[in-house]
Amino acid sequence: MRISDLLAIDDLRLTLLTGDPAREFGTVHITDLPEPGRYLSGGELVLTGLMWWHTPEDSARFVAALAEAGVAALGAGQAWLGHVPADLVTACAAAGLPLVEVPIEVSFRTLAELVVPRLAGDVRDALGRHRRLVAALAEGVDLRGLFELTAAELGVTGAVLSAAGEVLMGAADDPVRLAKAYLTAPRLPARVGEHTIFAVGSGHRAAGWALACDGELLSRADLGYELAACVGLERGRLEEGRRVERRLTEQLVVAALAEADVAELNARLRTSGVDVAEPYAVVNATALRPGATRGPDPATLGGQVVEELLGREVVAAAGADGAVAVVPLRERTTGELADRLRAGAEVLAALPDTRVCVGLSGALTGAAAVKGGVEEAGHARRLAEVRGGGVVTSDEIYTHALLLATVPGDVRRSFTARLLSPLLDYDRGHQSELVRTLGVFLDCAGSWNACAEQLHVHVNTVRYRVRRIEELTGRNLATMADRVDFFLALRDTGTPR
C-alpha cells in the first residue's frame, strides 16, 4: 500500500509532513521505544505516540534506527505532545523517510483497522498475478512473452539488458550506459537517471542480466523485484536446457585433444551444431577475479560471459584451461566476430576487480582442425591475460608476445628487474634518461643519428648514454643477443619506456 493511498482515506485526516507519497509499506507496527530497530524487519509503517521524545537529539536517534531497519514510513501522533516536533520533521527529511502526522482524535487502533484490510487486498492482488503468471508458464510462454505479461500486470515499463549492453527484451534508449551502471553500482536496486536498475538472479554481474525499469521504483521496489524474479525464473529454465549442449561441446574438445579418429570427430562436431563443411572459429575465455575466494572459477565465469557476448547463440564448455566455444561463422569473418567480442568486453571492463580475457582462433573447417583451433585460441587467451584482459586474435600471437605469454609472470618480472634495475636506479639518482634512450635506440634499429634526432639531443650524447648503459649492465648493445634481451625486458608489463 502506498502512503498516498493512506492519505486518501478521508476518515483519518492524515497530513504528509515530508517524504515521497509514492512510498509503499507492507505492515503496520506501533512502538514508543526510543530505539526500536531490533523489532523491525523493513517495509513497515511505524506509528509512534512520541513518548520517547525529550530533546531534539532524541529525534535524530529514533529516525536513524528506523532508517537502518529499512522502515518505509513513520506516522507520528499528536496526543502526547500536542504537535509533531520540527526536529523530527528535519530528521525524517534528511533520512528520506516519509513522515505522516496523525491527528489527536484518530487512534492508532482505528488507523490499523482501516489499513490492514487494504493491505490484505494488496496481497490478494499479488496472489492473483502469481496464479496468472504460473498459468502462462505452464502454457509454454517464452521469455519475451513472460516479460511483457509481467510488466503489463505490474504496470512497469523498461527493458532487460545483458551485462554487455544488449537489449534482450523491452526498450532502452542508452543500453550501454545502463549496463555500465549495473556493473558498477555498489548496491542494487539503484537509481540511474530516469531508471531504476534491478539485478535478475543472483549470479556474477559479468554474466548477469539487468532489469532497467522506467521511473523511480526504489519506493516501490517490490514491483521491480517481482518482475526481475519472473524473468530470472524463465532464464533459469532456459539455462537447464544448455547444460546438455555444454556437455556435447566438452566431449568434442576432449576427443579432439585426444586425436580421435576423423569419423568420431565429425559426428561430435555435428552434435555440437556445426556442419562438417561449415567454417567456424574457436573461442577460449576466462574471467579473472584477483583475490576472490568465492563464486565461479575463472573458466566457468568466462564461459558464461562468452555465451552472453555472443547473444546465447553458442555454449562454452569450462575446462582446466579456460572455457571453449566452437562458433559457426555463418557468413561472417573472424574479424567481425572479434569486433563483436571486443564491443562487449569493453563494456564489461567497467566492472571492478574482474578481467575478461578472450582468445579467438582463425577460421577453421572440418573436425580435424578443432585441436589446432583450441590450442590457438588458448595461446591467444593467455596473451590477453598477460595484457590485463581484452580480446586477442590468432593474428596477434605469432610474435615474441606469445613466447612471453607462456613464461610465468614471476620469471618475467625477475628477468626484467635483473636487467633494467641498474638503469632505473641510475635514472632515479641522476634524473637521467638511460631507460628512455635505450628504448628509442632499439626502436631506431641501433642508428645513432636517428636516435639523436628523435630524442632531440646531439649524437655524442646518445653515444655517451649507450656506453653508460653498457657499463651499468655489463651488456654489449652491438650484439643482437643483448639487444633482444633489452627489447623483451622493455616490453614486459609495467616497464617504463
Side-chain angles (χ1 to χ4, degrees):
M1 184 175 184
R2 300 181 194 176
I3 299 298
S4 58
D5 298 329
L6 184 66
L7 298 173
I9 302 176
D10 293 336
D11 292 345
L12 297 177
R13 299 183 298 284
L14 305 177
T15 302
L16 180 66
L17 299 181
T18 185
D20 183 4
R23 180 74 63 85
E24 291 194 345
F25 62 93
T27 59
V28 177
H29 183 89
I30 302 172
T31 183
D32 267 307
L33 294 174
E35 295 186 17
R38 72 182 68 180
Y39 303 106
L40 301 169
S41 57
E44 301 96 339
L45 166 63
V46 171
L47 300 178
T48 179
L50 301 175
M51 297 182 68
W52 47 265
W53 188 93
H54 301 286
T55 67
E57 289 74 20
D58 295 335
S59 292
R61 186 163 46 250
F62 184 79
V63 171
L66 299 187
E68 184 176 355
V71 165
L74 173 64
Q78 296 178 329
W80 181 252
L81 299 177
H83 68 285
V84 175
D87 48 84
L88 180 59
V89 179
T90 300
C92 287
L97 184 69
L99 174 61
V100 176
E101 182 182 61
V102 182
I104 294 175
E105 60 271 18
V106 176
S107 70
F108 288 164
R109 178 179 177 180
T110 299
L111 191 154
E113 287 176 349
L114 288 172
V115 169
V116 169
R118 287 172 169 81
L119 291 174
D122 291 342
V123 173
R124 287 193 296 273
D125 290 343
L127 290 174
R129 282 199 306 272
H130 291 164
R131 282 195 295 269
R132 290 190 290 274
L133 294 174
V134 169
L137 286 171
E139 292 171 2
V141 66
D142 62 10
L143 184 56
R144 185 174 299 278
L146 179 67
F147 172 75
E148 293 173 351
L149 174 63
T150 310
E153 287 274 1
L154 298 173
V156 176
T157 57
V160 177
L161 314 167
S162 74
E166 178 189 0
V167 177
L168 306 176
M169 285 156 281
D173 292 335
D174 192 351
V176 170
R177 179 180 66 87
L178 294 174
K180 288 182 177 180
Y182 160 71
L183 292 170
T184 57
R187 294 180 60 186
L188 293 171
R191 180 73 184 273
V192 180
E194 298 301 317
H195 300 82
T196 306
I197 298 181
F198 295 80
V200 175
S202 57
H204 195 277
R205 291 192 198 182
W209 289 2
L211 170 65
C213 297
D214 296 333
E216 194 283 310
L217 276 191
L218 291 179
S219 60
R220 304 171 59 200
D222 58 313
L223 299 182
Y225 284 129
E226 187 171 347
L227 180 53
C230 288
V231 174
L233 178 66
E234 181 60 10
R235 187 191 185 191
R237 189 171 72 172
L238 295 175
E239 181 67 16
E240 286 296 322
R242 299 173 70 83
R243 297 183 190 275
V244 174
E245 299 177 51
R246 293 193 188 103
R247 192 172 299 115
L248 293 174
T249 297
E250 179 184 3
Q251 292 170 353
L252 168 64
V253 172
V254 170
L257 294 178
E259 298 183 343
D261 66 79
V262 175
E264 179 185 350
L265 289 176
N266 285 339
R268 293 194 181 280
L269 188 63
R270 281 191 291 267
T271 58
S272 298
V274 182
D275 189 84
V276 173
E278 182 180 13
Y280 63 90
V282 176
V283 174
N284 187 298
T286 56
L288 304 179
R289 299 180 299 132
T293 57
R294 291 189 292 181
D297 63 84
T300 299
L301 182 56
Q304 295 169 351
V305 168
V306 164
E307 291 179 3
E308 291 298 322
L309 292 181
L310 296 180
R312 295 151 303 284
E313 298 172 3
V314 300
V315 295
D321 188 34
V324 175
V326 178
V327 184
L329 292 178
R330 292 175 184 157
E331 300 185 357
R332 62 185 167 187
T333 66
T334 53
E336 292 169 336
L337 179 59
D339 288 343
R340 181 171 182 181
L341 290 168
R342 286 194 181 100
E346 286 175 3
V347 179
L348 294 178
L351 184 63
D353 305 323
T354 300
R355 294 186 290 123
V356 175
C357 307
V358 180
L360 176 63
S361 76
L364 308 167
T365 304
V370 170
K371 179 180 179 180
V374 170
E375 293 173 346
E376 197 172 73
H379 289 319
R381 188 216 76 230
R382 284 187 284 277
L383 180 52
E385 291 179 351
V386 170
R387 291 179 176 177
V391 178
V392 174
T393 68
S394 61
D395 295 337
E396 302 174 68
I397 66 173
Y398 295 109
T399 69
H400 65 276
L402 174 59
L403 297 178
L404 288 177
T406 62
V407 178
D410 57 342
V411 175
R412 292 197 316 273
R413 288 189 291 272
S414 176
F415 170 77
T416 298
R418 290 175 68 89
L419 190 56
L420 297 182
S421 287
L423 306 183
L424 294 169
D425 292 342
Y426 188 89
D427 280 348
R428 280 192 291 267
H430 297 80
Q431 289 75 51
S432 57
E433 294 188 318
L434 295 187
V435 173
R436 179 166 178 256
T437 299
L438 174 61
V440 174
F441 182 73
L442 293 175
D443 287 343
C444 294
S447 169
W448 305 97
N449 292 326
C451 181
E453 183 178 346
Q454 191 164 328
L455 290 173
H456 305 291
V457 298
H458 193 275
V459 68
N460 287 340
T461 301
V462 174
R463 293 182 186 276
Y464 167 79
R465 291 179 181 177
V466 168
R467 186 164 59 251
R468 195 76 182 111
I469 290 170
E470 292 175 335
E471 291 172 354
L472 290 170
T473 62
R475 298 298 188 107
N476 182 1
L477 279 167
T479 67
M480 179 58 70
D482 284 347
R483 286 190 185 186
V484 169
D485 284 348
F486 280 123
F487 175 85
L488 295 177
L490 285 169
R491 279 153 180 77
D492 193 22
T493 304
T495 302
R497 288 294 307 277

